[in-house]
Amino acid sequence: MLHLLLLAALSLLAQVPSFSPALAEHPAMRNAFAEVDARASQIEREWITLTEIPAPSKQEQLRIEYMKKAMARIGLTNIEQDAIGNVWGTLKGTGGGPQLVFAAHMDTVFPLDTQIKVREENGRYHAPSIGDDTGALVALLHAFDILRLQNIRPKGDVMFLATVQEEIGLLGAKFWLEHREQKPDLFVAVDSRLGSVSYGALLIEQYRFLFEGPTMHTLASRGNANASRGAARFILALNDMEMPPSAPGGNPALPVANVGTLGGGTVVNATPGQVFVTVDIRGQQPQTEQLLVEQVKTLAQRAANQERLTLRIENINLIHDYSKALPKDVRLNHPLVQTTLAVTDYLRLNGTNKTLPADSGSDDHNIGVALGIPSIGIGAIIGHAAHSTGESADKASILRGTKYLILLTTALAGWDYRPAPQK
Ligand SMILES: [Zn+2]
């Protein structure tokens, strides 16, 4: 009963987003927005600098050092680093508001020896990781800096969390959230396209299928089992498989099963004793995801049987347990989502006043969703071709993104409009 009342109260709150245009029209907020434009070249320079610092997952050290210094520079307090490299600092609130966390990840998918030199062309910056997720780190730094300089003090404490190991299974955010005794009230991952609002978690399962057979000299291989044929059969079967339908109203590109890496064998003149294929399976509905995983495993086993091979299946990533996640309606109607939508629409980030939130997302906020913490995924820049060396981002988008983060911080953590004390 209490539970029902709570739900009713939540959905009532949701009808009245705490965002009011008066917040955006306050003189201090106007000054803050003007300051973003005034320091455009400084923001752009920092975006380039940070992008050119390599930080593959588990090798984020250089960016960790950079972010610690940058957090100190912008006046965050209680700057800390944990055992795996997450770094965070706090913008202390005036009291009485929710504790809000903004997370962006420092790691990239590009190895240390990748050439990273930002190039500008037709209003776009081109470089690996320029968009994912370096732009968000820089936008957050400047948003917090400007909030402090304009003396806009949110009520709740606002934390800036720069995570590690996001690209290999959201491991940094997972470590951080699981180790925090007191969980934050609100968790916002800044890692997707400016204007998008995700309040759910994409289900992700990743497996390595190992086909194993005899190793024999090429001269003895004729007519014998060959692990490469098992892998080949499996890949073709995956390609021909009928996919389960998309979630009603969901992303039509999902569910999906993608072969991302494959390999095996040790020498040219022998059969490979082992050939592996990895499959990344993503969907929006737990039932469909389970069905798809079973289907993929069945196909792998069939391919192995047909070629008289042994099959081993390994889990690549820890699979997040979503049993504690809040129900979809509660997540959607939460003021975190509704207020964020109101701010997004006020700034017309999508050119409309009706941004559609997605019951999806595959960023650090998935961990918050899994733990039952009100969590969303948003973006601060408009990027293209993430995870490829041809990655790029719209140069001007970071200025809109920084303003968005400034306004969103005050809308979510509260701001009591007190005039700035003179100093
Ligand atoms: Zn990312």
Side-chain angles (χ1 to χ4, degrees):
M1 188 61 196
L2 191 65
H3 186 56
L4 283 177
L5 283 173
L6 199 73
L7 287 186
L10 272 178
S11 41
L12 264 182
L13 264 176
Q15 288 162 17
V16 191
S18 60
F19 172 71
S20 138
L23 201 68
E25 286 150 17
H26 188 279
M29 189 59 71
R30 287 187 183 278
N31 286 344
F33 280 19
E35 172 61 18
V36 174
D37 293 321
R39 63 164 76 179
S41 59
Q42 193 190 332
I43 295 173
E44 289 152 10
R45 236 180 299 124
E46 185 152 36
W47 194 3
I48 292 170
T49 302
L50 190 57
T51 299
E52 292 179 353
I53 298 176
S57 305
K58 293 190 166 178
Q59 294 173 287
E60 299 96 342
Q61 201 51 44
L62 292 172
R63 285 202 187 188
I64 289 170
E65 295 310 322
Y66 185 97
M67 288 306 297
K68 274 198 287 195
K69 283 199 196 106
M71 285 182 185
R73 180 190 86 208
I74 63 167
L76 298 188
T77 56
N78 302 90
I79 298 167
E80 288 183 65
Q81 180 183 336
D82 65 19
I84 65 169
N86 294 305
V87 172
W88 64 98
T90 302
L91 186 72
K92 194 88 189 105
T94 54
Q99 191 194 62
L100 167 65
V101 173
F102 282 102
H105 65 90
M106 294 183 282
D107 61 316
T108 79
V109 298
F110 303 100
L112 275 183
D113 58 2
T114 309
Q115 267 301 321
I116 309 175
K117 187 82 195 128
V118 178
R119 173 172 63 81
E120 187 184 342
E121 200 181 302
N122 301 327
R124 273 199 203 176
Y125 283 139
H126 296 255
S129 93
I130 185 85
D132 183 14
D133 189 21
T134 318
L137 291 166
V138 174
L140 281 166
L141 280 175
H142 287 271
F144 283 114
D145 193 24
I146 291 169
L147 279 169
R148 185 182 54 99
L149 290 175
Q150 295 298 330
N151 225 327
I152 298 175
R153 299 272 309 276
K155 290 185 192 172
D157 287 351
V158 185
M159 300 174 85
F160 178 3
L161 169 66
T163 62
V164 293
Q165 300 181 31
E166 191 271 350
E167 298 288 6
I168 53 171
L170 319 177
L171 300 184
K174 184 174 161 68
F175 185 90
W176 192 81
L177 276 172
E178 286 181 352
H179 282 79
R180 271 200 97 66
E181 226 158 88
Q182 204 186 342
K183 309 292 183 221
D185 297 308
L186 308 170
F187 188 91
V188 179
V190 190
D191 192 12
S192 56
R193 189 183 176 85
L194 176 65
S196 66
V197 179
S198 306
Y199 63 94
L202 191 62
L203 303 167
I204 305 176
E205 300 202 26
Q206 298 171 337
Y207 297 93
R208 182 179 288 111
F209 295 89
L210 301 127
F211 295 88
E212 292 171 342
T215 305
M216 43 183 69
H217 194 281
T218 300
L219 290 172
S221 65
R222 187 159 149 179
N224 278 310
N226 188 314
S228 69
R229 282 202 303 270
R233 274 190 193 276
F234 174 48
I235 293 168
L236 288 176
L238 270 180
N239 184 63
D240 296 340
M241 175 177 71
E242 194 182 326
M243 294 297 288
S246 301
N251 183 341
L254 298 171
V256 67
N258 170 53
V259 173
T261 61
L262 63 157
T266 50
V267 289
V268 180
N269 58 2
T271 57
Q274 186 186 79
V275 174
F276 74 89
V277 176
T278 62
V279 185
D280 184 4
I281 303 165
R282 301 183 175 208
Q284 287 178 285
Q285 295 168 301
Q287 270 180 324
T288 316
E289 177 82 355
Q290 245 1 80
L291 191 77
L292 188 51
V293 167
E294 287 317 313
Q295 249 174 296
V296 171
K297 286 181 176 174
T298 304
L299 292 180
Q301 190 59 59
R302 192 175 300 158
N305 294 348
Q306 282 170 330
E307 293 295 335
R308 292 167 287 141
L309 302 166
T310 308
L311 176 70
R312 281 199 298 126
I313 304 177
E314 292 173 356
N315 265 347
I316 299 177
N317 273 328
L318 285 174
I319 290 161
H320 305 303
D321 170 11
Y322 289 103
S323 60
K324 280 192 235 149
L326 298 166
K328 176 182 165 140
D329 285 353
V330 176
R331 282 185 281 118
L332 172 61
N333 292 319
H334 194 280
L336 171 62
V337 175
Q338 296 303 318
T339 299
T340 302
L341 288 171
V343 174
T344 306
D345 288 341
Y346 175 83
L347 294 175
R348 298 188 78 81
L349 294 180
N350 294 299
T352 71
N353 56 7
K354 280 220 180 333
T355 296
L356 292 174
D359 180 16
S360 182
S362 54
D363 305 324
D364 278 340
H365 75 281
N366 282 24
I367 304 298
V369 171
L371 293 173
I373 299 166
S375 303
I376 53 169
I378 61 166
I381 56 105
I382 294 178
H384 312 270
H387 293 196
S388 81
T389 49
E391 187 172 357
S392 66
D394 297 359
K395 180 179 168 182
S397 63
I398 198 167
L399 304 182
R400 291 200 293 150
T402 305
K403 291 173 189 171
Y404 177 48
L405 293 172
I406 290 172
L407 189 56
L408 189 61
T409 301
T410 57
L412 293 176
W415 176 35
D416 59 11
Y417 299 79
R418 252 177 263 160
Q422 297 301 313
K423 202 181 169 199

